[in-house]
């Protein structure tokens, strides 16, 4: 995420940091791992009214920025089997590299602490408090946008979001819920930071949605949502019953769009409408306009609600 740094002078789990694809059913309580673990999961093909306790069956995929493949990019995320399931994504702010700070360290540590704290008594199934405690524990210099979602076994999904990572809920082929990005101005999202004056857990947008068995959630960093339209996400989800395949397909689609200079991406549309960015006047006269995807780290988590 190439955005400005906000500073005072002017803020039982699996943790994943590298390029990977993963699928699992959150029906057990495995020990925490730092890297990829193997598991299997399945989900029903039909959507049924909520009859019993539920949990997530999930698939994940991460593709680093083309220039950051060697270190695995600057996104981090975790998935946990706690309660009905906990998922989170943190997107490191790349502007810290200009100060010789590795932008990946802050989101990695933030996600590591969050994964350790999901069952904390003080957190008490509250994603906003989870953000508070993980942020307070993080000592690395840097900043990150972050989203956390915690599914209760009664089907209520609680979400806390700081910045422009996002989550969408799809039911019977229709988008029924989505988080909204938080920005100071175009391309400068809210972010948790090592700095004294910045956003905190209190600035998070907190929401909840009642999920039904068969619902699908898509969580991701802005590398997904800046390059893939909602209708493309819904279309992909409806085509794949396997959550791992769906996550990989969405990540690949975002990656392909990000490298296409002729693609009219969500990011280029927003740049023209919000920021006034566009091609020079002489190109406009020729009918040309600002287009292209946005190269970035891309993290995708696809979760399907299953009866547990």
């Amino acid at each position: 995420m190439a955005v400005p740094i906000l500073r005072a002078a002017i803020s039982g789990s699996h943790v994943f940091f590298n390029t990977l694809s993963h699928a699992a059913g959150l029906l057990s309580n495995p020990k925490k791992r730092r890297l990829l673990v193997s598991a299997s999961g399945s989900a029903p093909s039909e959507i049924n009214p909520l009859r019993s306790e539920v949990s997530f069956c999930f698939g994940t995929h991460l593709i680093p920025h083309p220039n950051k493949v060697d270190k695995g990019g600057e996104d981090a995320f975790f998935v946990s089997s706690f309660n009905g399931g906990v998922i989170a994504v943190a997107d490191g702010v790349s502007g810290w590299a200009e100060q010789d700070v590795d932008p990946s360290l802050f989101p990695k540590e933030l996600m590591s602490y969050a994964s350790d704290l999901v069952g904390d008594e003080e957190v008490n199934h509250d994603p906003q408090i989870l953000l508070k405690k993980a942020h307070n524990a993080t000592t690395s210099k840097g900043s990150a946008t972050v989203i956390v979602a915690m599914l209760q076994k009664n089907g209520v999904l609680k979400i806390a979001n700081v910045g422009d990572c996002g989550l969408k809920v799809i039911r019977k082929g229709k988008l029924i819920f989505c988080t909204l990005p938080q920005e100071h101005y175009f391309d400068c999202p809210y972010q948790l930071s090592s700095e004294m004056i910045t956003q905190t857990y209190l600035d998070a947008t907190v929401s909840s949605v009642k999920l039904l068995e068969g619902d699908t959630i898509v969580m991701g960093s802005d590398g997904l949502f800046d390059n893939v339209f909602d209708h493309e996400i819904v279309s992909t989800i409806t085509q794949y019953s396997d959550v791992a395949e769906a996550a990989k397909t969405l990540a690949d689609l975002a990656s392909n769009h990000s490298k296409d200079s002729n693609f009219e991406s969500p990011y280029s549309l927003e740049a023209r409408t919000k920021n006034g960015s566009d091609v020079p006047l002489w190109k406009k006269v020729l009918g040309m306009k600002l287009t292209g995807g946005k190269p970035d780290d891309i993290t995708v988590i696809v979760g399907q609600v299953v009866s547990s």
Side-chain angles (χ1 to χ4, degrees):
M1 175 189 300
V3 303
I5 300 169
L6 297 180
R7 308 192 59 187
I10 10 181
S11 133
S13 309
H14 309 297
V15 186
F16 303 85
F17 305 138
N18 301 312
T19 309
L20 53 89
S21 183
H22 179 66
L26 293 180
L27 306 179
S28 60
N29 187 24
K31 294 181 179 179
K32 183 169 77 72
R33 295 288 187 270
R34 286 290 180 137
L35 295 174
L36 176 65
V37 296
S38 296
S40 62
S42 60
S45 59
E46 296 182 359
I47 297 175
N48 300 310
L50 190 62
R51 295 191 306 268
S52 60
E53 293 184 342
V54 296
S55 59
F56 276 136
C57 173
F58 69 91
T60 67
H61 201 78
L62 188 156
I63 301 176
H65 187 291
N67 297 334
K68 303 171 185 177
V69 174
D70 57 336
K71 68 173 184 178
E74 295 160 359
D75 282 1
F77 69 94
F78 81 86
V79 294
S80 169
S81 60
F82 180 75
N83 204 8
V86 184
I87 55 178
V89 174
D91 182 354
V93 175
S94 60
W96 284 96
E98 299 171 5
Q99 301 182 36
D100 295 322
V101 174
D102 184 347
S104 71
L105 297 181
F106 184 90
K108 286 179 181 179
E109 187 179 359
L110 182 69
M111 290 290 92
S112 181
Y113 277 116
S115 71
D116 288 339
L117 290 164
V118 292
D120 183 84
E121 184 176 351
E122 185 180 345
V123 171
N124 193 28
H125 314 295
D126 187 334
Q128 190 175 27
I129 301 302
L130 181 59
L131 283 182
K132 172 189 176 181
K133 299 200 71 168
H135 188 198
N136 287 344
T138 300
T139 59
S140 294
K141 198 171 183 65
S143 55
T145 63
V146 58
I147 186 168
V148 178
M150 307 183 79
L151 178 65
Q152 298 183 80
K153 290 185 177 181
N154 64 3
V156 175
L157 182 69
K158 296 181 178 180
I159 307 155
N161 181 46
V162 178
D164 58 4
C165 292
L167 180 147
K168 300 180 186 295
V169 178
I170 298 163
R171 177 178 297 161
K172 296 182 179 180
K174 294 183 179 180
L175 185 65
I176 66 163
F177 174 86
C178 62
T179 58
L180 297 176
Q182 299 171 305
E183 290 184 322
H184 296 279
Y185 50 86
F186 175 72
D187 223 15
C188 184
Y190 284 20
Q191 53 201 260
L192 298 184
S193 173
S194 58
E195 300 302 291
M196 291 296 293
I197 299 180
T198 182
Q199 282 73 61
T200 72
Y201 75 101
L202 293 173
D203 297 296
T205 296
V206 178
S207 51
S208 64
V209 58
K210 185 65 176 289
L211 300 183
L212 304 179
E213 183 181 346
D215 286 351
T216 301
I217 64 99
V218 176
M219 176 184 282
S221 58
D222 66 332
L224 170 64
F225 302 115
D226 281 343
N227 291 297
V228 181
F229 288 98
D230 286 350
H231 69 86
E232 295 178 296
I233 292 175
V234 173
S235 176
T236 300
I237 292 301
T238 56
Q239 290 179 44
Y240 291 91
S241 59
D242 183 275
V243 287
E245 289 183 3
K248 183 179 185 303
T249 300
L250 283 173
D252 287 342
L253 181 62
S255 179
N256 291 336
H257 282 341
S258 74
K259 302 170 188 175
D260 185 352
S261 60
N262 294 317
F263 177 64
E264 191 165 9
S265 65
Y267 182 79
S268 63
L269 285 173
E270 186 178 14
R272 295 202 306 267
T273 57
K274 282 190 176 181
N275 198 44
S277 302
D278 210 337
V279 296
L281 181 59
W282 68 269
K283 288 188 176 182
K284 286 186 178 181
V285 173
L286 296 176
M288 301 173 66
K289 59 185 176 182
L290 180 69
T291 59
K294 178 190 175 188
D296 203 348
D297 298 317
I298 299 163
T299 297
V300 182
I301 302 175
V302 175
Q304 189 169 48
V305 180
V306 298
S307 177
S308 57

